[in-house]
Each structure stands twice: as C-alpha cells, then as structure tokens.
C-alpha cells in the first residue's frame, strides 16, 4: 500500500493564481482531511470529508475549496492565491480516529 | 483561543533518560487524545493514543497519561533514544468526523 500520497511536493505560485493540491489514499478510508501548518504552529484543519460526496469546513476554510467524488481522492483547490496561504499542506485519511498523513506539499505564494 | 496547548517549545534529554512531554486542553468535549511524531519534511506519524475513559495507555517505550480533572496529558518515553529526536504534537479528537485539534508541538532532542 502506498498509504496517503500528495502531489506536488513543492510549488511556487504568484498572487492571484490558482492551483489544485492532489491527495489520494489506497486504504479505503471513509474520512479524509486537509490541514495546513504554518512555521512554529500546529496543524489547522481546513476541510474534511466523511465519505464520497460529503464535505465540511474546518477551522480555516476561507480561500479554499474541496470536492470528494471518490473514496480515494480528496483534492484541495486554491482560488486567487494570497501570501497568507504560504504554508505546508497535509492531507490525511482515517478509518476512525487515528489519522494517517501524507508527506505534505510546501506552497509559497509570492 | 488555543484549545490544545503545548507550553514547552523544546526539550533536551540525555540518551537513556526519561522524556516527559506535556499537553493541556480546555474543551471538555474532547474524548480521545493522540500523540504524533514529526520529522522534518515528512508528514506526522501516529505514536500512541488514549480514550478519555482511561488514565493510562502503554506501548513499548511510550506511555501516555491522562488527568481529566486537570485537563492534562503527558507522554513519557523511557528510555529515550537519539532516534526519538523529532517534533511531538499532541492532538485531541471531537465531533462525528473525529476532527483533530493540534497543539503547537514540542521539539525533543535526545543527546547521545
């Protein structure tokens, strides 16, 4: 099993550009999550999903959108990138409580 | 308002000694607590967890203690090894989707 995979690993965006961060899991988990981690801080929940077709906002959803059309994939969309979105983004999946994390995407908005 | 707090940004311990990492929380709705370990440029990896109905859980060198009345939990690592050097995050679960709220992390350095 590959577990949770994320692409790309790194990306630099200009202000106002948009992009999609990809996340996939092969463990057939129903729950999936997107977090961001700023320097010296803990992870903050952006969006989560309890199954295909069902998503909900977390603590810091502004500026982001998600969709969940399959159990495996949970992409995160950034529209109109802003410098405040410079961060490391982690995707996670879970069968219940314990969450399994991907390696992260480091995003810089200039 | 931080609902999960790790007040020590860093901790240094000699190899072979005990490492104690602390975490405080404010939300009484949290019913499950987890510790994650994170190396640079990697995602967090699950270490150990405890349900709110227990006060202790042990897994090899790692033990988590929960004091519900004080809203405090701690992670003990005995004996500490250089490979344990990493950032440790405390997290608390709530909600039907088991959303996690994370502390800000403690950088543990185990000195050989």
């Amino acid at each position: 099993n590959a577990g949770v995979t994320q692409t790309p690993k790194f990306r630099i965006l200009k202000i106002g550009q948009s992009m999609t961060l990809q996340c996939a899991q092969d463990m057939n988990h129903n729950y999936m999550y997107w977090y961001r981690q700023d320097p010296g801080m803990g992870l903050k929940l952006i969006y989560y999903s309890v199954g295909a077709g069902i998503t909900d906002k977390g603590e810091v959803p502004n500026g982001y959108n998600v969709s969940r059309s399959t159990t495996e994939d949970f992409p995160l969309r950034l529209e109109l990138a802003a410098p405040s979105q410079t961060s490391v983004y982690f995707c996670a999946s879970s069968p219940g409580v314990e969450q399994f994390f991907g390696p992260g995407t480091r995003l810089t908005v200039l | 308002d931080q609902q999960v707090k790790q007040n020590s940004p860093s901790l240094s311990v000699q190899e072979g000694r005990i490492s104690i990492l602390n975490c405080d929380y404010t939300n009484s709705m949290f019913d499950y607590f987890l510790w994650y370990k994170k190396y640079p440029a990697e995602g967090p990896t699950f270490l150990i967890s405890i349900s709110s109905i227990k006060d202790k859980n042990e897994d090899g060198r790692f033990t988590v203690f929960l004091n519900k009345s004080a809203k405090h939990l701690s992670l003990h690592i005995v004996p500490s090894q250089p490979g344990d050097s990493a950032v440790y995050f405390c997290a608390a679960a709530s909600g039907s989707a088991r959303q996690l709220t994370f502390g800000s992390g403690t950088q543990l350095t185990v000195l050989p």
Side-chain angles (χ1 to χ4, degrees), chain A residues 31 33 35 37 40-43 45 48 50 90 96-99 101-103, chain B residues 32 34 36 38 41-44 46 89 96-100 102-104:
Chain A
Y31 300 124
Y33 311 82
Y35 294 88
Q37 185 190 14
M41 307 289 286
L43 283 69
L45 183 64
Y48 63 94
V50 300
F90 291 103
V97 180
E98 178 189 335
Q99 295 184 16
F101 285 82
Chain B
Y32 212 85
L34 305 90
Y36 281 83
K38 186 181 181 305
E42 295 184 10
F46 171 75
F89 289 100
S96 58
R98 317 312 288 141
Q99 301 96 297
L100 294 181
F102 282 82
S104 55

PDB file of all heavy atoms in Angstrom, chain A residues 31 33 35 37 40-43 45 48 50 90 96-99 101-103, chain B residues 32 34 36 38 41-44 46 89 96-100 102-104:
ATOM      1  N   TYR A  31     -12.916   8.650   6.001  1.00  0.00           N
ATOM      2  CA  TYR A  31     -12.639  10.008   6.430  1.00  0.00           C
ATOM      3  C   TYR A  31     -11.355  10.523   5.792  1.00  0.00           C
ATOM      4  O   TYR A  31     -10.342   9.825   5.775  1.00  0.00           O
ATOM      5  CB  TYR A  31     -12.467  10.076   7.958  1.00  0.00           C
ATOM      6  CG  TYR A  31     -13.663   9.641   8.746  1.00  0.00           C
ATOM      7  CD1 TYR A  31     -13.571   8.626   9.688  1.00  0.00           C
ATOM      8  CD2 TYR A  31     -14.897  10.257   8.568  1.00  0.00           C
ATOM      9  CE1 TYR A  31     -14.663   8.223  10.432  1.00  0.00           C
ATOM     10  CE2 TYR A  31     -16.002   9.849   9.296  1.00  0.00           C
ATOM     11  CZ  TYR A  31     -15.880   8.845  10.234  1.00  0.00           C
ATOM     12  OH  TYR A  31     -16.968   8.454  10.958  1.00  0.00           O
ATOM     13  N   TYR A  33      -9.006  14.433   5.322  1.00  0.00           N
ATOM     14  CA  TYR A  33      -8.835  15.752   5.925  1.00  0.00           C
ATOM     15  C   TYR A  33      -7.735  16.519   5.197  1.00  0.00           C
ATOM     16  O   TYR A  33      -6.789  15.931   4.690  1.00  0.00           O
ATOM     17  CB  TYR A  33      -8.401  15.628   7.395  1.00  0.00           C
ATOM     18  CG  TYR A  33      -9.227  14.678   8.221  1.00  0.00           C
ATOM     19  CD1 TYR A  33      -8.970  13.310   8.191  1.00  0.00           C
ATOM     20  CD2 TYR A  33     -10.265  15.129   9.030  1.00  0.00           C
ATOM     21  CE1 TYR A  33      -9.719  12.419   8.950  1.00  0.00           C
ATOM     22  CE2 TYR A  33     -11.017  14.253   9.790  1.00  0.00           C
ATOM     23  CZ  TYR A  33     -10.750  12.900   9.745  1.00  0.00           C
ATOM     24  OH  TYR A  33     -11.494  12.032  10.496  1.00  0.00           O
ATOM     25  N   TYR A  35      -5.103  19.742   6.195  1.00  0.00           N
ATOM     26  CA  TYR A  35      -4.562  20.624   7.220  1.00  0.00           C
ATOM     27  C   TYR A  35      -3.516  21.542   6.579  1.00  0.00           C
ATOM     28  O   TYR A  35      -2.905  21.212   5.574  1.00  0.00           O
ATOM     29  CB  TYR A  35      -3.853  19.831   8.314  1.00  0.00           C
ATOM     30  CG  TYR A  35      -4.728  18.933   9.142  1.00  0.00           C
ATOM     31  CD1 TYR A  35      -4.978  17.622   8.741  1.00  0.00           C
ATOM     32  CD2 TYR A  35      -5.281  19.376  10.328  1.00  0.00           C
ATOM     33  CE1 TYR A  35      -5.770  16.785   9.506  1.00  0.00           C
ATOM     34  CE2 TYR A  35      -6.074  18.535  11.110  1.00  0.00           C
ATOM     35  CZ  TYR A  35      -6.308  17.251  10.685  1.00  0.00           C
ATOM     36  OH  TYR A  35      -7.089  16.421  11.452  1.00  0.00           O
ATOM     37  N   GLN A  37       0.018  23.764   7.990  1.00  0.00           N
ATOM     38  CA  GLN A  37       0.900  24.001   9.110  1.00  0.00           C
ATOM     39  C   GLN A  37       1.783  25.196   8.810  1.00  0.00           C
ATOM     40  O   GLN A  37       2.588  25.164   7.864  1.00  0.00           O
ATOM     41  CB  GLN A  37       1.788  22.791   9.421  1.00  0.00           C
ATOM     42  CG  GLN A  37       2.614  23.006  10.681  1.00  0.00           C
ATOM     43  CD  GLN A  37       3.675  21.964  10.923  1.00  0.00           C
ATOM     44  OE1 GLN A  37       4.018  21.189  10.043  1.00  0.00           O
ATOM     45  NE2 GLN A  37       4.214  21.946  12.128  1.00  0.00           N
ATOM     46  N   GLY A  40       6.240  26.996  13.261  1.00  0.00           N
ATOM     47  CA  GLY A  40       6.116  27.077  14.714  1.00  0.00           C
ATOM     48  C   GLY A  40       4.720  26.836  15.250  1.00  0.00           C
ATOM     49  O   GLY A  40       4.476  27.034  16.444  1.00  0.00           O
ATOM     50  N   MET A  41       3.832  26.417  14.376  1.00  0.00           N
ATOM     51  CA  MET A  41       2.442  26.219  14.795  1.00  0.00           C
ATOM     52  C   MET A  41       2.042  24.769  14.614  1.00  0.00           C
ATOM     53  O   MET A  41       2.710  23.997  13.917  1.00  0.00           O
ATOM     54  CB  MET A  41       1.504  27.100  13.949  1.00  0.00           C
ATOM     55  CG  MET A  41       1.887  28.557  13.938  1.00  0.00           C
ATOM     56  SD  MET A  41       1.567  29.345  15.510  1.00  0.00           S
ATOM     57  CE  MET A  41      -0.214  29.482  15.444  1.00  0.00           C
ATOM     58  N   GLY A  42       0.915  24.431  15.226  1.00  0.00           N
ATOM     59  CA  GLY A  42       0.355  23.110  14.991  1.00  0.00           C
ATOM     60  C   GLY A  42      -0.422  23.079  13.683  1.00  0.00           C
ATOM     61  O   GLY A  42      -0.522  24.083  12.986  1.00  0.00           O
ATOM     62  N   LEU A  43      -0.952  21.922  13.371  1.00  0.00           N
ATOM     63  CA  LEU A  43      -1.746  21.766  12.155  1.00  0.00           C
ATOM     64  C   LEU A  43      -3.145  22.323  12.392  1.00  0.00           C
ATOM     65  O   LEU A  43      -3.738  22.097  13.455  1.00  0.00           O
ATOM     66  CB  LEU A  43      -1.839  20.289  11.756  1.00  0.00           C
ATOM     67  CG  LEU A  43      -0.614  19.674  11.095  1.00  0.00           C
ATOM     68  CD1 LEU A  43       0.543  19.522  12.048  1.00  0.00           C
ATOM     69  CD2 LEU A  43      -0.962  18.327  10.476  1.00  0.00           C
ATOM     70  N   LEU A  45      -7.087  22.527  10.753  1.00  0.00           N
ATOM     71  CA  LEU A  45      -7.975  21.818   9.836  1.00  0.00           C
ATOM     72  C   LEU A  45      -8.625  22.791   8.861  1.00  0.00           C
ATOM     73  O   LEU A  45      -9.242  23.777   9.270  1.00  0.00           O
ATOM     74  CB  LEU A  45      -9.038  21.070  10.641  1.00  0.00           C
ATOM     75  CG  LEU A  45     -10.015  20.209   9.857  1.00  0.00           C
ATOM     76  CD1 LEU A  45      -9.289  19.056   9.147  1.00  0.00           C
ATOM     77  CD2 LEU A  45     -11.089  19.657  10.786  1.00  0.00           C
ATOM     78  N   TYR A  48     -12.779  18.793   5.714  1.00  0.00           N
ATOM     79  CA  TYR A  48     -12.766  17.352   5.912  1.00  0.00           C
ATOM     80  C   TYR A  48     -13.952  16.726   5.178  1.00  0.00           C
ATOM     81  O   TYR A  48     -14.872  17.427   4.742  1.00  0.00           O
ATOM     82  CB  TYR A  48     -12.780  16.987   7.394  1.00  0.00           C
ATOM     83  CG  TYR A  48     -14.017  17.410   8.162  1.00  0.00           C
ATOM     84  CD1 TYR A  48     -15.097  16.541   8.335  1.00  0.00           C
ATOM     85  CD2 TYR A  48     -14.085  18.676   8.729  1.00  0.00           C
ATOM     86  CE1 TYR A  48     -16.215  16.926   9.047  1.00  0.00           C
ATOM     87  CE2 TYR A  48     -15.207  19.075   9.439  1.00  0.00           C
ATOM     88  CZ  TYR A  48     -16.260  18.201   9.607  1.00  0.00           C
ATOM     89  OH  TYR A  48     -17.381  18.590  10.320  1.00  0.00           O
ATOM     90  N   VAL A  50     -16.417  12.985   5.212  1.00  0.00           N
ATOM     91  CA  VAL A  50     -16.756  11.719   5.871  1.00  0.00           C
ATOM     92  C   VAL A  50     -17.105  10.622   4.866  1.00  0.00           C
ATOM     93  O   VAL A  50     -17.418   9.498   5.266  1.00  0.00           O
ATOM     94  CB  VAL A  50     -17.906  11.895   6.888  1.00  0.00           C
ATOM     95  CG1 VAL A  50     -17.508  12.895   7.965  1.00  0.00           C
ATOM     96  CG2 VAL A  50     -19.181  12.314   6.201  1.00  0.00           C
ATOM     97  N   PHE A  90      -0.990  19.365   4.532  1.00  0.00           N
ATOM     98  CA  PHE A  90      -1.005  17.927   4.759  1.00  0.00           C
ATOM     99  C   PHE A  90      -2.406  17.387   4.542  1.00  0.00           C
ATOM    100  O   PHE A  90      -3.392  17.953   5.021  1.00  0.00           O
ATOM    101  CB  PHE A  90      -0.565  17.597   6.182  1.00  0.00           C
ATOM    102  CG  PHE A  90       0.877  17.869   6.457  1.00  0.00           C
ATOM    103  CD1 PHE A  90       1.252  18.998   7.166  1.00  0.00           C
ATOM    104  CD2 PHE A  90       1.861  16.992   6.020  1.00  0.00           C
ATOM    105  CE1 PHE A  90       2.596  19.259   7.430  1.00  0.00           C
ATOM    106  CE2 PHE A  90       3.196  17.242   6.267  1.00  0.00           C
ATOM    107  CZ  PHE A  90       3.561  18.383   6.966  1.00  0.00           C
ATOM    108  N   GLY A  96     -11.229   5.788  11.424  1.00  0.00           N
ATOM    109  CA  GLY A  96     -11.987   6.063  12.645  1.00  0.00           C
ATOM    110  C   GLY A  96     -11.438   7.273  13.355  1.00  0.00           C
ATOM    111  O   GLY A  96     -11.855   8.393  13.100  1.00  0.00           O
ATOM    112  N   VAL A  97     -10.448   7.045  14.242  1.00  0.00           N
ATOM    113  CA  VAL A  97      -9.865   8.179  14.968  1.00  0.00           C
ATOM    114  C   VAL A  97      -8.438   8.444  14.516  1.00  0.00           C
ATOM    115  O   VAL A  97      -8.080   9.574  14.182  1.00  0.00           O
ATOM    116  CB  VAL A  97      -9.891   7.965  16.494  1.00  0.00           C
ATOM    117  CG1 VAL A  97      -9.264   9.165  17.202  1.00  0.00           C
ATOM    118  CG2 VAL A  97     -11.315   7.753  16.975  1.00  0.00           C
ATOM    119  N   GLU A  98      -7.599   7.393  14.519  1.00  0.00           N
ATOM    120  CA  GLU A  98      -6.207   7.586  14.136  1.00  0.00           C
ATOM    121  C   GLU A  98      -6.128   8.033  12.686  1.00  0.00           C
ATOM    122  O   GLU A  98      -6.717   7.407  11.802  1.00  0.00           O
ATOM    123  CB  GLU A  98      -5.448   6.274  14.308  1.00  0.00           C
ATOM    124  CG  GLU A  98      -3.994   6.338  13.881  1.00  0.00           C
ATOM    125  CD  GLU A  98      -3.350   4.968  13.874  1.00  0.00           C
ATOM    126  OE1 GLU A  98      -3.821   4.082  14.615  1.00  0.00           O
ATOM    127  OE2 GLU A  98      -2.387   4.779  13.121  1.00  0.00           O
ATOM    128  N   GLN A  99      -5.411   9.127  12.435  1.00  0.00           N
ATOM    129  CA  GLN A  99      -5.279   9.660  11.082  1.00  0.00           C
ATOM    130  C   GLN A  99      -3.888   9.362  10.533  1.00  0.00           C
ATOM    131  O   GLN A  99      -2.887   9.446  11.247  1.00  0.00           O
ATOM    132  CB  GLN A  99      -5.536  11.173  11.084  1.00  0.00           C
ATOM    133  CG  GLN A  99      -6.970  11.510  11.463  1.00  0.00           C
ATOM    134  CD  GLN A  99      -7.285  12.984  11.385  1.00  0.00           C
ATOM    135  OE1 GLN A  99      -6.546  13.772  10.777  1.00  0.00           O
ATOM    136  NE2 GLN A  99      -8.397  13.377  11.984  1.00  0.00           N
ATOM    137  N   PHE A 101      -1.151  10.426   7.682  1.00  0.00           N
ATOM    138  CA  PHE A 101      -0.829  11.641   6.947  1.00  0.00           C
ATOM    139  C   PHE A 101       0.032  11.364   5.721  1.00  0.00           C
ATOM    140  O   PHE A 101       0.864  10.456   5.707  1.00  0.00           O
ATOM    141  CB  PHE A 101      -0.088  12.624   7.856  1.00  0.00           C
ATOM    142  CG  PHE A 101      -0.978  13.308   8.840  1.00  0.00           C
ATOM    143  CD1 PHE A 101      -1.341  12.680  10.023  1.00  0.00           C
ATOM    144  CD2 PHE A 101      -1.490  14.569   8.568  1.00  0.00           C
ATOM    145  CE1 PHE A 101      -2.186  13.304  10.922  1.00  0.00           C
ATOM    146  CE2 PHE A 101      -2.336  15.205   9.467  1.00  0.00           C
ATOM    147  CZ  PHE A 101      -2.681  14.570  10.645  1.00  0.00           C
ATOM    148  N   GLY A 102      -0.156  12.205   4.709  1.00  0.00           N
ATOM    149  CA  GLY A 102       0.728  12.216   3.564  1.00  0.00           C
ATOM    150  C   GLY A 102       1.988  13.015   3.875  1.00  0.00           C
ATOM    151  O   GLY A 102       2.108  13.601   4.946  1.00  0.00           O
ATOM    152  N   PRO A 103       2.934  13.075   2.920  1.00  0.00           N
ATOM    153  CA  PRO A 103       4.224  13.730   3.157  1.00  0.00           C
ATOM    154  C   PRO A 103       4.167  15.251   3.080  1.00  0.00           C
ATOM    155  O   PRO A 103       5.130  15.918   3.474  1.00  0.00           O
ATOM    156  CB  PRO A 103       5.110  13.173   2.046  1.00  0.00           C
ATOM    157  CG  PRO A 103       4.148  12.850   0.951  1.00  0.00           C
ATOM    158  CD  PRO A 103       2.889  12.390   1.626  1.00  0.00           C
TER     159      PRO A 103
ATOM    160  N   TYR B  32     -10.895  11.851  22.921  1.00  0.00           N
ATOM    161  CA  TYR B  32      -9.818  10.957  22.515  1.00  0.00           C
ATOM    162  C   TYR B  32      -8.601  11.813  22.277  1.00  0.00           C
ATOM    163  O   TYR B  32      -8.716  12.907  21.695  1.00  0.00           O
ATOM    164  CB  TYR B  32     -10.207  10.221  21.228  1.00  0.00           C
ATOM    165  CG  TYR B  32      -9.641   8.836  21.101  1.00  0.00           C
ATOM    166  CD1 TYR B  32     -10.288   7.748  21.677  1.00  0.00           C
ATOM    167  CD2 TYR B  32      -8.467   8.593  20.393  1.00  0.00           C
ATOM    168  CE1 TYR B  32      -9.784   6.469  21.566  1.00  0.00           C
ATOM    169  CE2 TYR B  32      -7.957   7.322  20.273  1.00  0.00           C
ATOM    170  CZ  TYR B  32      -8.610   6.262  20.861  1.00  0.00           C
ATOM    171  OH  TYR B  32      -8.104   4.996  20.744  1.00  0.00           O
ATOM    172  N   LEU B  34      -4.356  11.944  21.110  1.00  0.00           N
ATOM    173  CA  LEU B  34      -3.333  11.245  20.334  1.00  0.00           C
ATOM    174  C   LEU B  34      -2.019  12.020  20.393  1.00  0.00           C
ATOM    175  O   LEU B  34      -2.012  13.248  20.528  1.00  0.00           O
ATOM    176  CB  LEU B  34      -3.761  11.122  18.866  1.00  0.00           C
ATOM    177  CG  LEU B  34      -5.118  10.479  18.565  1.00  0.00           C
ATOM    178  CD1 LEU B  34      -6.237  11.521  18.531  1.00  0.00           C
ATOM    179  CD2 LEU B  34      -5.077   9.721  17.239  1.00  0.00           C
ATOM    180  N   TYR B  36       1.462  12.500  18.037  1.00  0.00           N
ATOM    181  CA  TYR B  36       2.086  12.287  16.741  1.00  0.00           C
ATOM    182  C   TYR B  36       3.535  12.751  16.819  1.00  0.00           C
ATOM    183  O   TYR B  36       3.879  13.681  17.542  1.00  0.00           O
ATOM    184  CB  TYR B  36       1.365  13.090  15.648  1.00  0.00           C
ATOM    185  CG  TYR B  36       0.090  12.460  15.155  1.00  0.00           C
ATOM    186  CD1 TYR B  36      -1.113  12.640  15.845  1.00  0.00           C
ATOM    187  CD2 TYR B  36       0.085  11.662  14.011  1.00  0.00           C
ATOM    188  CE1 TYR B  36      -2.280  12.054  15.394  1.00  0.00           C
ATOM    189  CE2 TYR B  36      -1.084  11.076  13.552  1.00  0.00           C
ATOM    190  CZ  TYR B  36      -2.254  11.273  14.253  1.00  0.00           C
ATOM    191  OH  TYR B  36      -3.410  10.689  13.804  1.00  0.00           O
ATOM    192  N   LYS B  38       6.852  13.959  14.375  1.00  0.00           N
ATOM    193  CA  LYS B  38       7.089  14.501  13.032  1.00  0.00           C
ATOM    194  C   LYS B  38       8.564  14.792  12.822  1.00  0.00           C
ATOM    195  O   LYS B  38       9.166  15.552  13.591  1.00  0.00           O
ATOM    196  CB  LYS B  38       6.256  15.769  12.813  1.00  0.00           C
ATOM    197  CG  LYS B  38       6.352  16.289  11.379  1.00  0.00           C
ATOM    198  CD  LYS B  38       5.554  17.532  11.206  1.00  0.00           C
ATOM    199  CE  LYS B  38       5.654  18.021   9.749  1.00  0.00           C
ATOM    200  NZ  LYS B  38       7.024  18.225   9.285  1.00  0.00           N
ATOM    201  N   ALA B  41      10.320  17.643   6.902  1.00  0.00           N
ATOM    202  CA  ALA B  41       9.955  17.319   5.524  1.00  0.00           C
ATOM    203  C   ALA B  41       9.164  16.017   5.398  1.00  0.00           C
ATOM    204  O   ALA B  41       9.132  15.404   4.320  1.00  0.00           O
ATOM    205  CB  ALA B  41      11.187  17.262   4.626  1.00  0.00           C
ATOM    206  N   GLU B  42       8.544  15.576   6.494  1.00  0.00           N
ATOM    207  CA  GLU B  42       7.675  14.407   6.448  1.00  0.00           C
ATOM    208  C   GLU B  42       6.334  14.748   7.092  1.00  0.00           C
ATOM    209  O   GLU B  42       6.210  15.727   7.826  1.00  0.00           O
ATOM    210  CB  GLU B  42       8.293  13.221   7.192  1.00  0.00           C
ATOM    211  CG  GLU B  42       9.565  12.683   6.567  1.00  0.00           C
ATOM    212  CD  GLU B  42      10.065  11.447   7.298  1.00  0.00           C
ATOM    213  OE1 GLU B  42       9.330  10.911   8.158  1.00  0.00           O
ATOM    214  OE2 GLU B  42      11.201  11.031   7.012  1.00  0.00           O
ATOM    215  N   GLY B  43       5.326  13.909   6.816  1.00  0.00           N
ATOM    216  CA  GLY B  43       4.059  14.081   7.498  1.00  0.00           C
ATOM    217  C   GLY B  43       4.119  13.515   8.907  1.00  0.00           C
ATOM    218  O   GLY B  43       4.984  12.704   9.225  1.00  0.00           O
ATOM    219  N   PRO B  44       3.208  13.964   9.785  1.00  0.00           N
ATOM    220  CA  PRO B  44       3.161  13.393  11.144  1.00  0.00           C
ATOM    221  C   PRO B  44       2.852  11.900  11.091  1.00  0.00           C
ATOM    222  O   PRO B  44       2.102  11.443  10.220  1.00  0.00           O
ATOM    223  CB  PRO B  44       2.002  14.161  11.801  1.00  0.00           C
ATOM    224  CG  PRO B  44       1.823  15.390  10.977  1.00  0.00           C
ATOM    225  CD  PRO B  44       2.189  15.003   9.586  1.00  0.00           C
ATOM    226  N   PHE B  46       1.542   8.631  13.568  1.00  0.00           N
ATOM    227  CA  PHE B  46       0.856   8.310  14.807  1.00  0.00           C
ATOM    228  C   PHE B  46       1.778   7.552  15.753  1.00  0.00           C
ATOM    229  O   PHE B  46       2.511   6.658  15.338  1.00  0.00           O
ATOM    230  CB  PHE B  46      -0.377   7.473  14.500  1.00  0.00           C
ATOM    231  CG  PHE B  46      -1.039   6.902  15.714  1.00  0.00           C
ATOM    232  CD1 PHE B  46      -1.788   7.708  16.548  1.00  0.00           C
ATOM    233  CD2 PHE B  46      -0.901   5.560  16.031  1.00  0.00           C
ATOM    234  CE1 PHE B  46      -2.392   7.184  17.671  1.00  0.00           C
ATOM    235  CE2 PHE B  46      -1.498   5.029  17.148  1.00  0.00           C
ATOM    236  CZ  PHE B  46      -2.246   5.841  17.976  1.00  0.00           C
ATOM    237  N   PHE B  89       3.607  16.268  18.539  1.00  0.00           N
ATOM    238  CA  PHE B  89       2.348  17.004  18.592  1.00  0.00           C
ATOM    239  C   PHE B  89       1.335  16.225  19.409  1.00  0.00           C
ATOM    240  O   PHE B  89       1.147  15.020  19.218  1.00  0.00           O
ATOM    241  CB  PHE B  89       1.777  17.212  17.188  1.00  0.00           C
ATOM    242  CG  PHE B  89       2.543  18.189  16.344  1.00  0.00           C
ATOM    243  CD1 PHE B  89       3.447  17.747  15.390  1.00  0.00           C
ATOM    244  CD2 PHE B  89       2.349  19.554  16.505  1.00  0.00           C
ATOM    245  CE1 PHE B  89       4.148  18.645  14.612  1.00  0.00           C
ATOM    246  CE2 PHE B  89       3.053  20.456  15.716  1.00  0.00           C
ATOM    247  CZ  PHE B  89       3.951  20.001  14.773  1.00  0.00           C
ATOM    248  N   SER B  96     -18.343  14.180  15.057  1.00  0.00           N
ATOM    249  CA  SER B  96     -18.705  12.909  14.430  1.00  0.00           C
ATOM    250  C   SER B  96     -17.675  12.459  13.409  1.00  0.00           C
ATOM    251  O   SER B  96     -17.533  11.274  13.137  1.00  0.00           O
ATOM    252  CB  SER B  96     -20.068  13.037  13.757  1.00  0.00           C
ATOM    253  OG  SER B  96     -20.030  14.086  12.808  1.00  0.00           O
ATOM    254  N   ALA B  97     -16.914  13.405  12.831  1.00  0.00           N
ATOM    255  CA  ALA B  97     -15.873  13.058  11.874  1.00  0.00           C
ATOM    256  C   ALA B  97     -14.514  12.931  12.541  1.00  0.00           C
ATOM    257  O   ALA B  97     -13.505  12.799  11.855  1.00  0.00           O
ATOM    258  CB  ALA B  97     -15.783  14.102  10.768  1.00  0.00           C
ATOM    259  N   ARG B  98     -14.484  12.951  13.882  1.00  0.00           N
ATOM    260  CA  ARG B  98     -13.248  12.774  14.661  1.00  0.00           C
ATOM    261  C   ARG B  98     -12.187  13.784  14.246  1.00  0.00           C
ATOM    262  O   ARG B  98     -11.027  13.462  14.035  1.00  0.00           O
ATOM    263  CB  ARG B  98     -12.719  11.348  14.547  1.00  0.00           C
ATOM    264  CG  ARG B  98     -13.771  10.259  14.646  1.00  0.00           C
ATOM    265  CD  ARG B  98     -14.707  10.462  15.824  1.00  0.00           C
ATOM    266  NE  ARG B  98     -14.060  10.182  17.089  1.00  0.00           N
ATOM    267  CZ  ARG B  98     -14.246  10.876  18.200  1.00  0.00           C
ATOM    268  NH1 ARG B  98     -15.059  11.916  18.223  1.00  0.00           N
ATOM    269  NH2 ARG B  98     -13.626  10.550  19.326  1.00  0.00           N
ATOM    270  N   GLN B  99     -12.616  15.047  14.088  1.00  0.00           N
ATOM    271  CA  GLN B  99     -11.669  16.097  13.721  1.00  0.00           C
ATOM    272  C   GLN B  99     -10.643  16.254  14.828  1.00  0.00           C
ATOM    273  O   GLN B  99     -10.970  16.177  16.007  1.00  0.00           O
ATOM    274  CB  GLN B  99     -12.389  17.436  13.524  1.00  0.00           C
ATOM    275  CG  GLN B  99     -13.476  17.461  12.472  1.00  0.00           C
ATOM    276  CD  GLN B  99     -14.848  17.240  13.044  1.00  0.00           C
ATOM    277  OE1 GLN B  99     -15.107  16.172  13.598  1.00  0.00           O
ATOM    278  NE2 GLN B  99     -15.730  18.203  12.922  1.00  0.00           N
ATOM    279  N   LEU B 100      -9.391  16.499  14.416  1.00  0.00           N
ATOM    280  CA  LEU B 100      -8.318  16.677  15.383  1.00  0.00           C
ATOM    281  C   LEU B 100      -7.974  18.156  15.558  1.00  0.00           C
ATOM    282  O   LEU B 100      -7.895  18.902  14.579  1.00  0.00           O
ATOM    283  CB  LEU B 100      -7.063  15.916  14.950  1.00  0.00           C
ATOM    284  CG  LEU B 100      -7.158  14.387  14.932  1.00  0.00           C
ATOM    285  CD1 LEU B 100      -5.818  13.786  14.512  1.00  0.00           C
ATOM    286  CD2 LEU B 100      -7.588  13.844  16.280  1.00  0.00           C
ATOM    287  N   PHE B 102      -4.839  20.270  17.082  1.00  0.00           N
ATOM    288  CA  PHE B 102      -3.437  20.024  17.413  1.00  0.00           C
ATOM    289  C   PHE B 102      -2.870  21.109  18.321  1.00  0.00           C
ATOM    290  O   PHE B 102      -3.238  22.280  18.227  1.00  0.00           O
ATOM    291  CB  PHE B 102      -2.581  19.991  16.139  1.00  0.00           C
ATOM    292  CG  PHE B 102      -2.678  18.709  15.371  1.00  0.00           C
ATOM    293  CD1 PHE B 102      -3.729  18.480  14.502  1.00  0.00           C
ATOM    294  CD2 PHE B 102      -1.709  17.728  15.512  1.00  0.00           C
ATOM    295  CE1 PHE B 102      -3.818  17.290  13.788  1.00  0.00           C
ATOM    296  CE2 PHE B 102      -1.782  16.537  14.807  1.00  0.00           C
ATOM    297  CZ  PHE B 102      -2.844  16.321  13.947  1.00  0.00           C
ATOM    298  N   GLY B 103      -1.921  20.702  19.173  1.00  0.00           N
ATOM    299  CA  GLY B 103      -1.074  21.657  19.866  1.00  0.00           C
ATOM    300  C   GLY B 103       0.010  22.149  18.921  1.00  0.00           C
ATOM    301  O   GLY B 103       0.118  21.684  17.777  1.00  0.00           O
ATOM    302  N   SER B 104       0.831  23.077  19.407  1.00  0.00           N
ATOM    303  CA  SER B 104       1.850  23.698  18.559  1.00  0.00           C
ATOM    304  C   SER B 104       3.139  22.894  18.474  1.00  0.00           C
ATOM    305  O   SER B 104       4.034  23.245  17.707  1.00  0.00           O
ATOM    306  CB  SER B 104       2.156  25.119  19.036  1.00  0.00           C
ATOM    307  OG  SER B 104       2.511  25.078  20.404  1.00  0.00           O
TER     308      SER B 104
END
